[in-house]
Coordinates of all heavy atoms in Angstrom, one line a residue:
A131 N 90.4 78.5 98.2 CA 89.8 78.1 97.0 C 88.3 78.8 97.0 O 87.8 79.2 98.0 CB 89.7 76.7 96.8
R132 N 87.7 78.8 95.9 CA 86.4 79.4 95.7 C 85.5 78.3 95.1 O 86.0 77.6 94.2 CB 86.4 80.7 94.8 CG 85.1 81.5 94.9 CD 85.4 82.8 94.2 NE 84.3 83.8 94.5 CZ 84.1 84.4 95.5 NH1 85.1 84.4 96.4 NH2 83.2 85.2 95.7
G133 N 84.3 78.2 95.7 CA 83.4 77.2 95.3 C 82.7 76.5 96.5 O 82.7 77.1 97.6
R134 N 82.1 75.4 96.3 CA 81.5 74.8 97.4 C 81.8 73.2 97.3 O 81.9 72.6 96.4 CB 79.9 74.8 97.3 CG 79.4 76.3 97.6 CD 77.9 76.3 97.5 NE 77.4 77.6 98.0 CZ 77.3 78.7 97.2 NH1 77.5 78.5 95.8 NH2 76.8 79.8 97.6
V135 N 82.1 72.7 98.5 CA 82.6 71.4 98.7 C 82.3 70.9 100.2 O 82.2 71.9 101.1 CB 84.0 71.2 98.5 CG1 84.9 71.8 99.5 CG2 84.3 69.7 98.1
T136 N 82.0 69.7 100.4 CA 81.7 69.1 101.7 C 82.9 68.3 102.2 O 83.8 67.9 101.3 CB 80.5 68.3 101.7 OG1 80.7 67.1 100.9 CG2 79.3 69.1 101.4
Q137 N 83.1 68.0 103.5 CA 84.2 67.3 104.0 C 84.0 65.8 103.4 O 85.0 65.1 103.1 CB 84.1 67.2 105.4 CG 85.4 66.4 106.0 CD 86.6 66.9 105.6 OE1 87.0 68.2 105.8 NE2 87.6 66.2 105.1
E138 N 82.8 65.3 103.2 CA 82.7 64.0 102.7 C 83.2 63.9 101.3 O 83.8 62.9 100.8 CB 81.1 63.7 102.7 CG 80.5 63.4 104.0 CD 80.3 64.8 104.8 OE1 80.4 65.8 104.2 OE2 80.1 64.6 106.0
K139 N 83.0 64.9 100.5 CA 83.5 64.9 99.1 C 85.0 64.9 99.2 O 85.8 64.3 98.4 CB 83.0 66.1 98.3 CG 83.2 65.9 96.9 CD 82.4 67.0 96.1 CE 82.6 66.8 94.5 NZ 81.8 67.8 93.8
L140 N 85.7 65.7 100.1 CA 87.1 65.8 100.1 C 87.7 64.4 100.6 O 88.8 64.1 100.2 CB 87.5 66.9 101.1 CG 87.2 68.3 100.7 CD1 87.6 69.3 101.8 CD2 88.1 68.7 99.5
L161 N 88.7 70.4 105.4 CA 88.0 71.7 105.3 C 88.2 72.4 106.5 O 87.6 72.2 107.6 CB 86.5 71.4 104.8 CG 85.7 72.8 104.6 CD1 86.3 73.5 103.5 CD2 84.2 72.3 104.4
K163 N 87.9 76.1 106.9 CA 87.0 77.2 107.1 C 86.2 77.6 105.8 O 86.8 77.4 104.7 CB 88.0 78.5 107.5 CG 87.1 79.8 107.8 CD 88.1 80.9 108.1 CE 87.4 82.2 108.4 NZ 88.3 83.3 108.8
A164 N 85.0 78.0 106.0 CA 84.1 78.2 104.8 C 83.3 79.6 105.1 O 82.8 79.6 106.2 CB 83.3 77.1 104.4
K165 N 83.3 80.4 104.1 CA 82.6 81.7 104.3 C 81.7 81.9 103.1 O 82.2 82.0 102.0 CB 83.5 82.9 104.6 CG 82.8 84.1 104.8 CD 83.8 85.3 105.0 CE 83.0 86.6 105.3 NZ 83.9 87.7 105.5
E166 N 80.4 81.8 103.3 CA 79.5 81.9 102.1 C 79.5 83.4 101.6 O 79.5 84.4 102.3 CB 78.1 81.5 102.5 CG 78.0 80.1 102.8 CD 78.0 79.2 101.5 OE1 77.8 79.8 100.4 OE2 78.2 78.1 101.6
G167 N 79.4 83.5 100.3 CA 79.3 84.8 99.6 C 78.3 84.8 98.4 O 77.8 83.7 98.2
P168 N 78.0 85.9 97.8 CA 77.0 85.9 96.7 C 77.5 85.1 95.5 O 76.5 84.6 94.8 CB 76.9 87.4 96.4 CG 78.3 88.0 96.9 CD 78.6 87.2 98.0
Q169 N 78.8 84.8 95.3 CA 79.2 84.1 94.1 C 79.8 82.7 94.5 O 80.6 82.2 93.8 CB 80.2 85.0 93.3 CG 79.6 86.3 92.8 CD 80.6 87.1 92.1 OE1 81.7 86.7 92.0 NE2 80.1 88.1 91.4
G170 N 79.5 82.2 95.7 CA 80.1 81.0 96.2 C 80.7 81.2 97.5 O 80.5 82.1 98.2
A171 N 81.4 80.2 97.9 CA 82.1 80.3 99.2 C 83.6 80.5 99.1 O 84.2 79.8 98.2 CB 81.7 78.9 99.9
N172 N 84.2 81.1 100.0 CA 85.7 81.1 100.1 C 86.0 80.1 101.2 O 85.6 80.1 102.3 CB 86.1 82.5 100.6 CG 86.0 83.6 99.6 OD1 86.2 83.3 98.3 ND2 85.4 84.8 99.9
L173 N 86.9 79.2 100.8 CA 87.2 78.0 101.5 C 88.8 78.0 101.8 O 89.5 78.6 101.0 CB 86.9 76.7 100.8 CG 85.6 76.5 100.2 CD1 85.5 75.3 99.4 CD2 84.5 76.6 101.2
W174 N 89.1 77.6 103.0 CA 90.5 77.2 103.4 C 90.6 75.7 103.6 O 89.8 75.2 104.4 CB 91.0 78.0 104.6 CG 91.3 79.4 104.4 CD1 90.6 80.5 104.6 CD2 92.6 79.9 103.8 NE1 91.3 81.6 104.2 CE2 92.5 81.3 103.7 CE3 93.7 79.2 103.3 CZ2 93.6 82.0 103.2 CZ3 94.8 79.9 102.8 CH2 94.8 81.4 102.8
I175 N 91.4 75.1 102.9 CA 91.6 73.7 102.9 C 93.1 73.3 103.1 O 93.9 73.7 102.5 CB 91.1 73.0 101.6 CG1 89.6 73.4 101.3 CG2 91.2 71.5 101.7 CD1 89.3 72.9 99.9
L191 N 92.0 69.8 93.2 CA 90.8 70.5 93.8 C 89.9 71.1 92.6 O 88.7 71.2 92.8 CB 91.4 71.7 94.7 CG 92.1 71.2 96.0 CD1 92.5 72.4 96.8 CD2 91.2 70.3 96.8
E192 N 90.6 71.4 91.5 CA 89.7 71.8 90.4 C 88.9 70.7 89.9 O 87.8 70.9 89.4 CB 90.6 72.4 89.3 CG 91.2 73.8 89.5 CD 92.2 74.1 88.5 OE1 92.4 73.4 87.5 OE2 92.9 75.2 88.6
A193 N 89.3 69.5 90.0 CA 88.4 68.3 89.6 C 87.2 68.2 90.5 O 86.2 67.6 90.1 CB 89.3 67.1 89.6
L194 N 87.2 68.8 91.7 CA 86.1 68.8 92.6 C 85.3 70.0 92.4 O 84.3 70.3 93.3 CB 86.6 68.7 94.0 CG 87.4 67.4 94.4 CD1 87.7 67.4 95.9 CD2 86.7 66.1 94.1
G195 N 85.6 70.8 91.5 CA 84.8 72.1 91.3 C 85.3 73.3 91.9 O 84.6 74.2 92.1
L196 N 86.5 73.4 92.5 CA 87.0 74.4 93.2 C 88.0 75.1 92.4 O 88.8 74.5 91.6 CB 87.7 74.0 94.6 CG 86.8 73.1 95.5 CD1 87.5 72.8 96.7 CD2 85.6 74.0 96.0
K197 N 88.2 76.4 92.6 CA 89.1 77.3 91.9 C 90.1 77.8 93.0 O 89.8 78.6 93.8 CB 88.5 78.5 91.2 CG 89.5 79.4 90.5 CD 90.2 78.6 89.3 CE 91.0 79.6 88.5 NZ 91.7 78.9 87.4
V198 N 91.4 77.3 92.9 CA 92.3 77.7 93.8 C 92.9 79.0 93.5 O 93.5 79.3 92.5 CB 93.5 76.7 94.0 CG1 94.7 77.2 94.9 CG2 93.0 75.3 94.4

Side-chain angles (χ1 to χ4, degrees):
R132 197 167 189 82
R134 288 185 173 87
V135 73
T136 62
Q137 184 60 52
E138 290 75 15
K139 194 172 184 180
L140 291 175
L161 183 61
K163 185 178 179 182
K165 183 178 180 181
E166 289 289 341
Q169 299 178 354
N172 289 319
L173 312 172
W174 279 103
I175 302 173
L191 294 183
E192 286 175 3
L194 300 182
L196 302 175
K197 181 64 176 178
V198 177

